[in-house]
Amino acid sequence: MKKLICFSLLFVLIVLPLLVACAKPAPAPAPKPTPAPAPPPVPTPPPPPPFPEETITWIVPHGAGGFDTYSRAIAKVMPKYLPKKVDIIIKNVPAAGGRTGTADIYRSKPDGYTIGILNIPGHIVSQLIMPVEYDLAKMEYLGLCSTINYNLWVAKNSPFRSLSDLQQAKKPLRSPSYGFGQTGMLVATITLEATRIPYTFVTGYTAAPEIALSVIKGDVDILIESDVVVLMPYYKTGDLRPIAVISEGASQLFPDIPTMKKLGYPELAELGGYRIIAAPPGTPKERVKILEEALIKAMQDAETQEWSKKVEMPLVIAKGEEAKGIVLKQTQLFAKYTEMLKAAQKKLEK
Amino acid sequence: MFEAFCQALALLFRPDVLGLAALGTLIGLVFGVLPGLGGIIAVAVLLPFTYGMEPTTAMLFLCAVMGAVPFGGSVSAILINTPGTAQNICTTFDGFPMARRGEASRALGISATASGLGALFGLVVLVMLIPVVRQVVLLIGPPEIFMLILMGMVTIALAARGNLVKGLCAGGLGMLISFIGFSPVFGVLRFNFGSEYLWDGVQLIPVVIGLFGITELINYAVRGGTIAAERAAAGGSMVEGVKDVFRHKLCFLRSSAIGTIVGIIPGIGGTVATFLSYVIAMQTSKHPETYGKGNPEGVVAAESANNAKDGGSVLPTVGFGVPGSAEMVVLLGAFMLHGIFPGPTMIKEHLDIVFAIIVGFLISNILASTLGLLAANSLAGLTRINTSYIAFGVAVLCFVGAFTMRENIWDVVMALLLGFFGYGMVRLGFPTVNFTTGYILGILAELYFSQSLMISYGSYAIFFTRPISLTFFVLTLFILVYSFRRGRGSEKG
C-alpha cells in the first residue's frame, strides 16, 4: 500500500509538470515556439512595441501537400524581411479535414505571433453548411500565395474524347473524390451538375496519385481535380488526357484544350481554389502590415521564385486587401451553390 | 541499375553521409522506442533540417531514420508490453511473455535478427520488381485490398482459441470503435455522441498506449514484483534468439513475404502487415495454442513482417507516387520539398534517389540490429528491476506519448479509459488481439468494400471477376477449411 502511495505521488509530481510544459508544443527534438510575448504597453505616443521579438507560428490545417509545401517554402525565406529576423515555424493541424486548424488560427491570440494558411473555398463551404468555430469574414488577411486550378481529365484509352461524349454517356460516369466536404468534390459536383453529365462518386481516396492510378486502371471514368503538379507527369507520359479546362487560371497550361467558358459554361470558370494567408481577427494593424510586407517580399524573393520554378509550383501573389476580396467573392459564389450542393449530397446518400 | 546501386553505396564512403546515416539510425531507434512517437513524426520533424542537403543525402538520411523505427519499437514492446509503434503490437503478444519468463534477451535477439534480415528481404524484392513496377501496382485495387483484409479478419476470428464467443465479441467491439468519427466515404458523422473530439474517431496512439501500456501499469500495481517473473532458463540468451530466426526459417520467409506484399499494396502498411503475418503464422503452426504465451516464432513472424514492409512500400511510392505505407506519405512530402515529383517517370529520372533510399534502409537496419544485439543483455536488465521503480518512468512515457501526437489532453484521457477497459478485458478473458485487429481492420475493410461497390455500380461480382481478388478469397476459404478440419481433429476449437 505504501509503495502504491509513493508511486502515485511521484507519478503526479513528475507527469503534471511535464504535461503543463508540453501544453505549449511538445518536447520533440525540433525547435518549437515559445509562449506569447509580454503584452504591448499602454497606448502612449511612439515608439510602438517592437515586433516581432520571438518566433512566429504558422498554422497549416493540413498534412503534407500543396498547402504545407508552399507554407514551408515561404516561411523559410520570410524571416529575412522581418525586423528582427525571428524564426517562423510550421505547425501542422490536420484534424477534422482542416476545420480544427482553421479554428485554431481564428482563436489564437491576436498578437501577430500566430498566422496561418487558409483553404478557400473549402472552409467557406464548411462555414456555409455546418456549424464551425470560425468566421472567415473576420480574419485579417495577409495575402495570396497560389491558386488551385481544376481540369477535367480522362485516361489515355478512354472512349470519351470530348465534353459532348461525356454528356451522352449511357451509364453514370464514376468520378473519384477524397470525400464529402472536400473542395475537389464540390467543384466536381457543381461542374457535373452544370454540364448535365450523368455521374456517381467513388469516395474514400486519400491522395492525388491514388486517384490518378484509379483512372488509369479504369476503376473510375473521369477525373475533376486540381493538383496539376502531381498530375503533370501522367500528362507527359500520356496516361491522362485533359478534356476540358475548368478554372480560368489553367488555360495557359493547356492551350489546345477547350475551356468551360468556350464550351458554354462561363460560370464554371470562376471555380478554383486559393491558398490565402491570414492572421486572427483583432491582430493590430501595424503588425498585420509588417507581416504582410514580409510575406509579399518573401514570395518575390529570388530564392522563393527559383524554388517555385524548379518544383513547378507557381506563385500567384496578391496582397491582403485583394485576398480579402477573393474570400468575399467566393463566399457569395458558393452561397449561391449551397442549395444545389445539399441536394446533390442527398441524392448521393441514397 | 547496378551502377546506380554502386553510386548510392559510394555515398556511404563520405564521412558526413555516414555520420548522418548513423545519426538517423539513432534518432529512429529513439523515436521507435518511445510509445506515441514513430517514423512518421520523426521524418516530419526532421524534414526541415534536410533543406540544405542534396536530395540523395536527404533521402538516405530520412530512410535511415525510418528503417530503425520498427526495431526500436520492438524493444519497448518486449520489455514493457507497450508497443513503441502500432506495427509492434504483435511483438507484444509473444515478446512480452518471453520477457516475463526471463527471456527478454532472447526476444530482443530474435527481433534484431528478424528485423535486419526481414528488411533485407523486402529490399531485395523491391529491387527485383523495379522494372515491372507499373504492372504490379496497376494490378492492385480496392477489391484486392478488401479481400486481403478479409483474410486477416477471418484468420483472427479463428484465432480465438478456447473461447470463440469472447474472441468474436472482442473483435466486433474493436470494429465498432473503429467506425467512430466522420466518414469521408459517406459524409456522415458516426457515434460521436455530439463530441468534437471524436470527430476524428478514436485515434490509434491512445488505443495502443492505453490498451497495452496503461493496462500493464495497472498490472504492475496489482501484481507487484518484477516484470520478469522467473529467472532465465539456460536457453534465454541473445544468441539463442539469433538462432531462433534460423530455426524458424519457413516462418521467417513467409512473414517477410507477407510483409513485403502488404507493403507493396498501397493504403495498408505496417500494422496490417504484422497482424496478417502473425495470425497466418499462428494458424499454420503445429501448436497454435502456444502463440500469445511466449512462442519465439510469434516474435519472428511479427518482426520480420514490419521491416520487410519498408522495402515493399517503397515500390508504389517511387513508381507511382502512391504511398505504400503511412511513413511513405511523409517521404512523399520530402520528395516534393526537394523538387522531386514521384510519378511514372520518377524511376527513369531519379534512379539515384531510389537507390539512396534503399541504401538508407539497408544501413540503418544493419546498424540498428547490431546495436540491438550488443545492447540486448543490458536492456533485458530492465525486466529484473522491481516494477515500482520503473512504473513511474513507464507512466510518464505513456502519458506524454499519448499527449504528444496531437497535443490534445483528451487523448490522454482516452488512453486512460482504454487502459482500464483493457485491464478489465484481460481479467475477464477477452483477448486483446481480437479487439485490436477489429479496431485496425474494421474501418479499412469498410472503406475498401464500399469503394469496390462504388466502382462496380453496386455489383458484388467485382470481387470474384478480378483474378487477384479471387485468389485472395480462395486462400481465405482454404485457411477457414484447414482450420476447421484441425479443430475437429483435436479438441473443439
Side-chain angles (χ1 to χ4, degrees), chain B residues 108-411:
Chain B
L108 288 168
I110 297 178
S111 175
T113 318
S115 294
L117 293 177
L120 191 60
F121 184 99
L123 291 170
V124 166
V125 172
L126 165 66
V127 173
M128 291 192 325
L129 288 179
I130 284 182
V132 290
V133 61
R134 191 194 162 88
Q135 288 87 314
V136 169
V137 178
L138 282 176
L139 283 173
I140 312 287
E144 287 74 25
I145 306 182
F146 172 71
M147 277 301 164
L148 199 60
I149 294 181
L150 187 67
M151 196 192 301
M153 293 178 86
V154 163
T155 38
I156 201 60
L158 296 171
R161 297 261 141 202
N163 199 322
L164 191 62
V165 177
K166 281 190 179 168
L168 290 175
C169 277
L173 203 56
M175 285 179 68
L176 277 180
I177 302 265
S178 79
F179 297 135
I180 295 179
F182 179 76
S183 163
V185 180
F186 302 105
V188 284
L189 192 51
R190 303 184 292 194
F191 305 130
N192 78 322
F193 303 105
S195 131
E196 177 84 18
Y197 168 69
L198 287 177
W199 178 279
D200 289 302
V202 179
Q203 293 286 300
L204 183 60
I205 302 290
V207 169
V208 168
I209 290 185
L211 218 56
F212 296 92
I214 298 189
T215 304
E216 205 46 38
L217 272 179
I218 300 175
N219 268 324
Y220 293 167
V222 167
R223 202 177 51 208
T226 58
I227 295 179
E230 309 148 24
R231 283 259 136 204
S237 74
M238 174 269 282
V239 177
E240 204 55 33
V242 177
K243 287 195 198 149
D244 274 321
V245 179
F246 294 99
R247 261 188 222 129
H248 300 282
K249 285 199 278 294
L250 194 57
C251 175
F252 164 73
L253 287 170
R254 186 185 46 224
S255 306
S256 301
I258 294 176
T260 312
I261 294 176
V262 174
I264 293 177
I265 296 180
I268 43 180
T271 325
V272 176
T274 46
F275 268 90
L276 261 177
S277 161
Y278 182 83
V279 166
I280 290 180
M282 172 161 56
Q283 289 296 31
T284 49
S285 115
K286 295 197 183 66
H287 300 280
E289 65 284 354
T290 58
Y291 272 69
K293 303 206 174 75
N295 184 339
E297 212 176 50
V299 185
V300 173
E303 280 303 309
S304 26
N306 63 19
N307 285 72
K309 79 121 198 341
D310 280 331
S313 63
V314 175
L315 192 67
T317 311
V318 302
F320 261 99
V322 183
S325 69
E327 292 84 359
M328 287 294 140
V329 176
V330 202
L331 198 67
L332 278 173
F335 287 161
M336 289 183 57
L337 206 66
H338 286 270
I340 305 165
F341 285 99
T345 53
M346 178 168 178
I347 292 189
K348 267 201 230 102
E349 292 171 11
H350 294 285
L351 201 57
D352 54 339
I353 304 268
V354 178
F355 277 100
I357 292 175
I358 294 177
V359 170
F361 274 115
L362 195 61
I363 190 79
S364 83
N365 269 283
I366 295 177
L367 286 175
S369 292
T370 316
L371 194 63
L373 289 174
L374 294 172
N377 287 322
S378 338
L379 287 170
L382 205 62
T383 58
R384 291 190 282 271
I385 307 178
N386 195 302
T387 48
S388 27
Y389 300 118
I390 59 169
F392 70 82
V394 175
V396 168
L397 275 180
C398 285
F399 281 77
V400 175
F403 180 78
T404 305
M405 187 69 162
R406 306 195 298 165
E407 292 176 25
N408 187 333
I409 196 73
W410 292 103
D411 281 344

Side-chain angles (χ1 to χ4, degrees), chain A residues 3-4 7 10-11 14-15 18-19 22-32 64-66 68-69 72-73 76 91 94-97 99-100 130 133 156 171-174 177-181 200-205 207 209-210 213-214 216-221 227 229-230 233-234 236-237 239 307 310-313 345 349, chain B residues 27 31 41 44-49 51 134 137-144 182-188 196 199-200 217 221 266-267 319-323 329-330 332-333 336-345 348 386 388-389 391-392 395-396 399-400 403-404 406-407 409 412 447-448 450-452 454-457 462 466:
Chain A
K3 262 194 203 149
L4 190 60
F7 149 60
L10 264 166
F11 165 68
I14 296 200
V15 172
L18 263 169
L19 279 180
C22 303
K24 304 296 180 188
K32 287 289 180 177
D68 181 71
T69 312
R72 287 180 189 274
K76 183 172 165 234
K91 181 173 168 188
R99 283 184 8 263
T100 308
M130 61 177 98
E133 297 190 24
K156 173 165 66 179
K171 274 177 21 168
L173 297 174
R174 295 163 300 189
S177 111
Y178 298 119
F180 287 84
T200 175
F201 278 112
V202 179
T203 53
Y205 291 99
E210 226 179 288
L213 206 59
S214 178
I216 297 174
K217 261 196 296 199
D219 284 343
V220 294
D221 306 298
D227 239 335
V229 166
V230 176
Y234 297 96
K236 291 195 185 130
T237 55
D239 285 312
W307 164 84
K310 186 170 106 173
V311 300
E312 290 180 25
M313 290 177 84
Q345 170 144 358
E349 275 169 16
Chain B
I27 295 179
F31 271 79
I41 300 196
V45 161
L46 292 169
L47 197 51
F49 292 96
Y51 256 121
R134 191 194 162 88
V137 178
L138 282 176
L139 283 173
I140 312 287
E144 287 74 25
F182 179 76
S183 163
V185 180
F186 302 105
V188 284
E196 177 84 18
W199 178 279
D200 289 302
L217 272 179
F320 261 99
V322 183
V329 176
V330 202
L332 278 173
M336 289 183 57
L337 206 66
H338 286 270
I340 305 165
F341 285 99
T345 53
K348 267 201 230 102
N386 195 302
S388 27
Y389 300 118
F392 70 82
V396 168
F399 281 77
V400 175
F403 180 78
T404 305
R406 306 195 298 165
E407 292 176 25
I409 196 73
V412 182
L447 169 66
Y448 292 111
S450 319
Q451 268 194 333
S452 303
M454 283 192 264
I455 290 174
S456 69
Y457 294 104
I462 191 174
R466 288 164 69 134

